[in-house]
């Protein structure tokens, strides 16, 4: 007995969802590709029938696991921010990748993508440690690198990218922890260091943030599942030491970065911070990736006058700790530079992050 099939006339199709009532014996048949819920839990007066719901056909839910070097902060408690930008093209073709969707997340366990079957995808991910405190809020989301604007597909080439002004998202930007399928807008800043900092609301090419980046190229989903993306540090650390400073303070200016300060009245004449690379547009996850930047030591005297003591061009290497040590003198100073890799067994703490 299949029951009264005329009840199928009650089925409604709305917004890619199929709902209605079918006989329980029909619903028990295999390969329906549906989610079945006993209707008696909802309408107990209609015994013998089930409520049926079919999710959008040909769309897979893929959960991202952000691993690699990012695991050191991702597994710790913290107000981190995550960004995902997805590009797509028809699988097996050499067509250009086009924007597909993006998401901004405050919870790494909720990074889920809705990917259509028949496509292959390039997926970019980024993590800003303590980003909810470090990045300038704007509307319901955050400013660069999480600003939402018309997306420009980027390629690694010798030609520089167009200037990036850290466009802020509009008032209609979606909420956190939501994947948005959008063929026009996206996260242009995901592959750059440029960040609007909450401390002063200014855009810096080399912000004092702990940043991680990962990518998955040519991914073809075959069903719902989990995708691991290895993420890499796109950062370097700087420690500045000054000897013989007796009055005023030293301002350390790193090109594209917020200034560091060493006060003569402080117990230790040293300062440390972590910085993200600018990267327009090198492969900043490569081992040995580096950028050069000018570093200037300025003496701010108690009477308000300033004097430049030293300017050097320094090469900063990915995943390295850089020690800039100087001996203060009225006649200027010489900067000694030491680089040391940040290894997994190294005890090095900045901004609450330990390597």
């Amino acid at each position: 007995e299949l029951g009264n099939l005329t009840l199928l006339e009650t089925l409604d199709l709305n917004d890619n969802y199929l709902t209605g009532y079918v006989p329980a014996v029909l619903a028990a048949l295999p390969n329906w590709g549906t989610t079945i819920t006993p209707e008696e839990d909802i309408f107990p007066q209609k015994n013998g029938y089930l409520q049926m719901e079919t999710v959008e056909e040909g769309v897979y839910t893929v959960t991202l696991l952000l691993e690699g070097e990012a695991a050191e902060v991702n597994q710790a408690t913290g107000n981190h921010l995550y960004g995902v930008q997805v590009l797509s093209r028809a699988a097996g073709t050499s067509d250009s990748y086009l924007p597909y969707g993006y998401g901004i997340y405050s919870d790494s366990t909720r990074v889920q993508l809705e990917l259509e079957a028949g496509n292959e995808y390039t997926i970019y991910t980024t993590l800003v440690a303590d980003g909810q405190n470090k990045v300038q809020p704007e509307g319901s989301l955050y400013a660069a690198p999480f600003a939402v604007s018309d997306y420009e597909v980027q390629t690694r080439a010798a030609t520089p990218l167009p200037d990036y002004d850290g466009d802020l998202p509009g008032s209609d930007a979606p909420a956190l922890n939501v994947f948005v399928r959008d063929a026009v807008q996206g996260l242009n800043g995901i592959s750059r260091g440029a960040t609007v900092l909450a401390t002063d609301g200014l855009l810096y090419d080399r912000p004092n943030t702990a940043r991680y980046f990962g990518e998955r190229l040519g991914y073809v989903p075959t069903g719902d599942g989990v995708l691991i993306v290895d993420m890499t540090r796109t950062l370097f650390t700087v420690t500045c030491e000054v000897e013989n400073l007796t009055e005023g303070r030293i301002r350390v200016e790193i090109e594209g970065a917020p200034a560091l300060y060493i006060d003569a009245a402080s117990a230790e004449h040293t300062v440390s911070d972590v910085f993200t690379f600018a990267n327009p547009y090198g492969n900043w996850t490569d081992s040995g990736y580096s950028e050069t930047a000018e570093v200037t030591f300025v003496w701010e005297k108690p009477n308000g006058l300033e004097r430049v003591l030293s300017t050097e061009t320094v090469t900063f290497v990915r995943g390295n700790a850089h020690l800039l040590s100087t001996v203060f003198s009225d006649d200027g100073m010489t900067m000694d530079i030491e680089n040391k890799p940040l290894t997994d067994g190294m005890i090095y703490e900045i901004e609450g992050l330990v390597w």
Side-chain angles (χ1 to χ4, degrees):
E1 285 286 325
L2 292 181
N4 185 0
L5 294 183
T6 60
L7 287 172
L8 289 176
E9 295 176 358
T10 65
L11 292 174
D12 294 318
L13 184 62
N14 294 298
D15 297 327
N16 294 319
Y17 286 88
L18 186 65
T19 62
Y21 297 97
V22 298
V25 65
L26 260 183
L29 294 177
N31 299 323
W32 269 82
T34 62
T35 300
I36 304 298
T37 304
E39 61 83 24
E40 55 265 24
D41 292 344
I42 304 172
F43 300 106
Q45 71 274 23
K46 297 181 180 179
N47 291 326
Y49 292 91
L50 302 178
Q51 184 177 4
M52 180 180 70
E53 180 178 289
T54 303
V55 297
E56 187 175 357
E57 184 177 359
V59 176
Y60 303 129
T61 299
V62 177
T63 301
L64 296 189
L65 290 183
L66 307 180
E67 298 291 341
E69 292 177 341
E72 64 195 11
V73 295
N74 196 31
Q75 296 172 359
T77 58
N79 297 312
H80 308 320
L81 281 178
Y82 309 82
V84 177
Q85 176 66 49
V86 181
L87 310 179
S88 71
R89 70 182 180 189
T93 71
S94 58
D95 295 345
S96 297
Y97 279 101
L98 296 175
Y100 175 83
Y102 66 92
I104 304 165
Y105 303 85
S106 59
D107 182 350
S108 64
T109 66
R110 298 175 64 181
V111 183
Q112 294 184 329
L113 314 180
E114 297 171 359
L115 303 181
E116 296 177 4
N119 291 339
E120 68 178 51
Y121 297 89
T122 286
I123 302 170
Y124 298 122
T125 62
T126 196
L127 157 62
V128 178
D130 197 32
Q132 295 175 58
N133 295 317
K134 299 287 288 187
V135 181
Q136 174 76 13
E138 184 68 23
S140 60
L141 292 178
Y142 291 85
F146 302 104
V148 178
S149 58
D150 288 355
Y151 189 80
E152 300 172 10
V153 177
Q154 303 167 359
T155 58
R156 292 193 176 93
T159 55
L161 288 173
D163 290 340
Y164 178 57
D165 59 6
D167 290 339
L168 302 181
S171 58
D172 59 346
L176 285 172
N177 302 310
V178 175
F179 182 70
V180 181
R181 279 192 262 178
D182 194 323
V184 177
Q185 293 196 311
L187 306 181
N188 276 298
I190 197 168
S191 301
R192 311 178 194 226
T195 298
V196 180
L197 293 178
T199 50
D200 55 16
L202 298 179
L203 179 73
Y204 293 94
D205 288 333
R206 295 186 179 92
N208 58 334
T209 58
R211 184 86 171 269
Y212 298 77
F213 181 80
E215 60 185 4
R216 186 66 181 263
L217 308 178
Y219 173 65
V220 179
T222 56
D224 296 346
V226 175
L227 177 65
I228 295 175
V229 178
D230 285 332
M231 300 185 69
T232 304
R233 299 176 185 130
T234 53
L235 57 85
F236 59 95
T237 70
V238 175
T239 297
C240 300
E241 297 178 346
V242 177
E243 296 182 19
N244 296 340
L245 178 63
T246 59
E247 61 177 2
R249 68 176 183 176
I250 299 296
R251 183 176 74 246
V252 183
E253 300 175 347
I254 301 174
E255 183 181 357
L260 301 175
Y261 294 92
I262 301 174
D263 199 300
S266 62
E268 297 182 1
H269 292 169
T270 182
V271 62
S272 297
D273 214 336
V274 59
F275 297 90
T276 296
F277 285 110
N279 182 41
Y281 181 75
N283 191 4
W284 58 355
T285 61
D286 281 351
S287 175
Y289 174 80
S290 64
E291 292 180 3
T292 58
E294 272 197 356
V295 178
T296 300
F297 279 69
V298 179
W299 179 27
E300 297 181 354
K301 301 180 181 181
N303 61 8
L305 298 178
E306 295 185 353
R307 180 177 178 181
V308 174
L309 298 174
S310 177
T311 298
E312 300 282 349
T313 298
V314 179
T315 298
F316 296 105
V317 182
R318 186 192 75 80
N320 275 25
H322 303 80
L323 175 63
L324 311 180
S325 57
T326 63
V327 178
F328 176 80
S329 168
D330 288 345
D331 298 327
M333 59 174 69
T334 300
M335 195 182 307
D336 294 325
I337 303 169
E338 178 184 347
N339 292 352
K340 184 182 299 183
L342 292 169
T343 60
D344 290 337
M346 183 178 180
I347 304 301
Y348 196 96
E349 181 172 358
I350 291 179
E351 297 285 328
L353 305 178
V354 180
W355 292 280

